[in-house]
Amino acid sequence: MSNGPMRVVRTIAELKQARADLEGRGTVAVVMTMGALHSGHGELLAQARQRADALIATIFVNPLQFAPHEDLARYPRPVEADLALCEQAGVDLVFMPDEEEMYPGGEALVRVTPGHLGQILEGGPRPTHFEGVLTVVAKLLHLTRPQLAFFGQKDAQQLALVRRMVADLNFDTEIVAVPIVRDEDGMAKSSRNAYLSAQERTSGLALSRAIRAATSAAEAGERAPAVLAAARRELDAEEGIAVDYLSLADASTLREVSAEHSGPAVLLVAARVGSTRLLDNAPLVLG
Ligand code: AMP
């Protein structure tokens, strides 16, 4: 349960004071977001609320993880609705800084570099993306000092990288993964779904169809090549999308599994629909 009215702070000085006030309250959890909150974020907040005594949400559209041609300027920022959702979810403290507060005088000079894991998959078309993500996640972990931090499986590569950063750089925070929340038609919830026209949304459903086809094939005992082929058929059947990658990989290294692999794996897909990039993935077990 939350303990009294939600506090909203915008500066690091205020955050430090508010965080100090949570001292002695037990377990502190953080949920980091870029706002435009939906029920996927709601699920992270709900699970965090259940496990923690105090719940911090951060809302910050991090310029460092956007390339110059990407959607930073048009990224939705419905502040009032976001704060209402946080309040309903029992958030104790919202940290909602502006860019100058997070990057005084411009972008951070020293950053967290993700290595190989940041260059594959999403890192192909977005080679500086995960450096921006890890740098802001590191900053927000230092500022909020949580025992628990909740991340969505929706961004599987981000989750794997955050886990590696926390392990490799000895952050004292447990990372908790939350399964993907979907709309009734199967589409993975995303703030960027707001960009889709009705027709683009229909095309975009090919991603979740591909995930389901692959999951069924795996459940039927098929090996990696047949599982991938089942997903590929669904994607190829949809003319309105351009696939960036389809990969069946180890969940922590994100390296492609071999044709003979048995055991857990993750199927990852990314595709463009018009000017919007969509991601989806699912854990599955082979063999
Ligand atoms: P974002 O605001 O898109 O940066 O996402 C903030 C957090 O919410 C990240 O940990 C995401 O993985 C997670 N998230 C976003 N969409 C979903 C979803 N559909 N299901 C589960 N988690 C999600």
Side-chain angles (χ1 to χ4, degrees):
M1 280 297 293
S2 114
N3 308 269
M6 181 172 85
R7 280 179 78 176
V8 181
V9 299
R10 291 183 168 77
T11 67
I12 288 170
E14 289 172 301
L15 174 66
K16 284 189 171 162
Q17 182 59 55
R19 178 63 184 84
D21 294 344
L22 295 177
E23 230 44 83
R25 279 264 296 272
T27 307
V28 174
V30 70
V31 172
M32 299 176 189
T33 80
M34 298 206 300
L37 302 181
H38 49 66
S39 55
H41 301 108
E43 180 62 21
L44 267 63
L45 292 168
Q47 292 199 18
R49 183 70 271 170
Q50 279 240 312
R51 280 201 50 194
D53 301 298
L55 176 52
I56 305 176
T58 68
I59 300 177
F60 179 57
V61 184
N62 174 34
L64 213 57
Q65 69 191 66
F66 289 77
H69 63 277
E70 291 180 349
D71 56 343
L72 176 64
R74 73 164 176 155
Y75 200 86
R77 291 167 170 84
V79 175
E80 293 308 315
D82 284 350
L83 291 178
L85 192 145
C86 286
E87 182 134 49
Q88 229 182 349
V91 172
D92 296 293
L93 175 60
V94 179
F95 179 48
M96 210 169 56
D98 63 17
E99 291 181 19
E100 180 58 23
E101 189 69 17
M102 288 298 277
Y103 301 114
E107 294 186 339
L109 186 61
V110 176
R111 305 178 189 194
V112 180
T113 58
H116 167 77
L117 191 45
Q119 299 305 313
I120 58 176
L121 302 170
E122 281 302 285
R126 311 183 74 191
T128 59
H129 173 66
F130 288 113
E131 178 179 285
V133 169
L134 292 184
T135 301
V136 84
V137 169
K139 285 166 72 76
L140 290 171
L141 286 174
H142 288 314
L143 290 167
T144 58
R145 295 184 287 113
Q147 282 79 40
L148 304 171
F150 288 70
F151 288 86
Q153 179 66 42
K154 165 82 188 345
D155 300 282
Q157 192 171 4
Q158 168 175 289
L159 174 62
L161 274 162
V162 169
R163 284 193 191 287
R164 275 312 293 254
M165 177 181 76
V166 164
D168 289 353
L169 303 184
N170 304 95
F171 280 79
D172 212 1
T173 297
E174 179 191 337
I175 304 301
V176 184
V178 176
I180 296 183
V181 175
R182 297 177 182 279
D183 281 320
E184 266 177 27
D185 58 10
M187 181 83 108
K189 288 264 189 190
S190 166
S191 306
R192 290 191 166 98
N193 291 351
Y195 300 150
L196 299 173
S197 68
Q199 195 182 348
E200 287 172 340
R201 191 186 158 91
T202 304
S203 297
L205 286 172
L207 278 77
S208 53
R209 275 203 302 278
I211 296 283
R212 281 201 301 279
T215 306
S216 304
E219 283 169 2
E222 299 285 5
R223 291 296 187 172
V227 168
L228 278 166
R232 177 65 68 183
R233 269 194 299 279
E234 293 294 340
L235 298 171
D236 286 349
E238 175 54 60
E239 286 180 359
I241 62 171
V243 177
D244 278 342
Y245 58 78
L246 172 68
S247 177
L248 187 53
D250 177 273
S252 46
T253 64
L254 297 184
R255 288 185 197 277
E256 293 260 353
V257 299
S258 68
E260 304 78 37
H261 175 82
S262 69
V266 58
L267 183 86
L268 304 125
V269 59
R272 279 162 290 128
V273 186
S275 59
T276 305
R277 275 187 91 245
L278 298 178
L279 304 184
D280 207 339
N281 71 82
L284 37 81
V285 181
L286 294 170

